[in-house]
Amino acid sequence: MSSVSQSIQKLKEQLPGEVTLVAVSKTKPNEMIMEAYEAGQRIFGENKVQELVDKQESLPKDIQWHMIGHLQRNKVKYIAPFVSLIHGVDSLRLLRAINKEGAKNERIIPCLLQMHIASEETKFGLDETELFELLESQDFQSFSNVEIRGLMGMATFTDDREKVAGEFRTLKNTFERVKEKYFKEREEFSFLSMGMSSDYEIAVEEGSNMVRIGSSIFGERNYV
Ligand SMILES: *Cc1c(COP(=O)(O)O)cnc(C)c1O
């Protein structure tokens, strides 16, 4: 058995049943993705539009592709026909662009709103005020070709477990309040995407139900 399929199997045994595993295959070749596919994995995450499009074209059509990286508005059109979840939506302008491309493709595109929970400046995402503004805007209410499926966030990159746990706890808390206030009767608002190779165990303890794991499955990357 390959190390990729071993890692997939180990993770599946380890993760609670309600936690969705997104295998982050960015920078990794199609052969490795196929090893994961043959081990039963069907959800893969990429963070670059061109790479996502190329892989989608050449790999099996029952793969569900998640866009997990920062997405530019002018590139939405390339992934709109097939993407199954966009994790990194962090502005009304981006959501408007996704809605427009969703309409062109006659589909409703599932999205997660990305929250800024880390102390690092470099990580994208909304703060709570911006999140509530977005959800309450007239514009947002008029979008019929996007569907908000939940929230996503990335913790600070640190060995301080308490700090990471605290950031995930904050996001879980926001998730619960947003669900109660804006999506109470809406079952589709159900995903809390948090946790990567280095911190998914903490994330799951803090209530994550979607983890995005790359290097623990496919090995270290040479570049991000
Ligand atoms: C690369 C990436 C991951 C996976 O990172 P690993 O440390 O390799 O597990 C998860 N989420 C996002 C947004 C990423 O860009």
Side-chain angles (χ1 to χ4, degrees):
M1 207 189 297
S2 77
S3 72
V4 168
S5 55
Q6 274 173 349
S7 308
I8 294 275
Q9 286 195 356
K10 246 174 75 184
L11 279 164
K12 284 192 174 154
E13 281 161 28
Q14 191 190 3
L15 292 169
E18 73 278 9
V19 177
T20 299
L21 171 62
V22 180
V24 176
S25 48
K26 61 190 184 193
T27 81
K28 299 296 179 184
N30 290 349
E31 296 71 48
M32 288 184 99
I33 299 179
M34 281 312 294
E35 287 176 25
Y37 181 89
E38 273 147 24
Q41 183 64 25
R42 290 294 180 274
I43 304 176
F44 292 88
E46 291 283 337
N47 72 338
K48 297 229 160 59
V49 166
Q50 188 59 54
E51 190 175 346
L52 178 52
V53 168
D54 290 345
K55 286 174 172 173
Q56 191 271 338
E57 279 171 5
S58 47
L59 287 162
K61 294 300 172 245
D62 63 341
I63 289 179
Q64 296 166 44
W65 292 102
H66 288 198
M67 175 65 193
I68 61 167
H70 186 66
L71 179 58
Q72 288 170 294
R73 276 174 286 138
N74 61 357
K75 293 196 175 161
V76 174
K77 58 177 176 281
Y78 302 113
I79 62 170
F82 66 86
V83 70
S84 62
L85 187 63
I86 299 177
H87 288 236
V89 180
D90 64 355
S91 73
L92 187 62
R93 292 166 80 200
L94 175 57
L95 199 58
R96 188 181 297 123
I98 298 170
N99 184 62
K100 190 172 142 196
E101 295 302 325
K104 280 189 199 159
N105 287 278
E106 295 179 2
R107 58 184 298 241
I108 296 172
I109 300 180
C111 296
L112 303 179
L113 295 173
Q114 181 172 1
M115 300 298 294
H116 185 269
I117 54 170
S119 52
E120 292 134 332
E121 279 295 318
T122 51
K123 294 199 172 137
F124 297 100
L126 302 156
D127 62 29
E128 268 207 14
T129 312
E130 293 165 335
L131 173 68
F132 292 136
E133 272 172 18
L134 187 157
L135 293 171
E136 281 167 24
S137 73
Q138 291 270 306
D139 244 15
F140 172 66
Q141 325 271 335
S142 73
F143 294 162
S144 47
N145 293 86
V146 289
E147 182 169 79
I148 305 299
R149 305 291 307 270
L151 303 181
M152 176 268 206
M154 292 167 84
T156 303
F157 189 70
T158 170
D159 291 335
D160 184 347
R161 290 180 67 94
E162 274 315 304
K163 182 175 172 63
V164 171
E167 290 171 357
F168 286 145
R169 205 169 302 145
T170 301
L171 183 56
K172 166 76 170 166
N173 184 285
T174 305
F175 176 85
E176 293 302 339
R177 280 180 297 122
V178 167
K179 176 146 187 73
E180 177 69 24
K181 190 159 181 211
Y182 300 99
F183 297 95
K184 199 158 189 211
E185 311 295 329
R186 308 263 294 277
E187 268 176 39
E188 79 272 9
F189 188 90
S190 58
F191 291 126
L192 182 53
S193 167
M194 55 186 202
M196 330 190 349
S197 294
S198 58
D199 58 17
Y200 72 88
E201 285 158 307
I202 307 172
V204 168
E205 272 171 34
E206 297 299 337
S208 166
N209 62 14
M210 184 172 271
V211 292
R212 310 174 309 271
I213 300 185
S215 42
S216 290
I217 297 171
F218 298 107
E220 294 300 322
R221 288 175 300 273
N222 295 325
Y223 57 100
V224 180

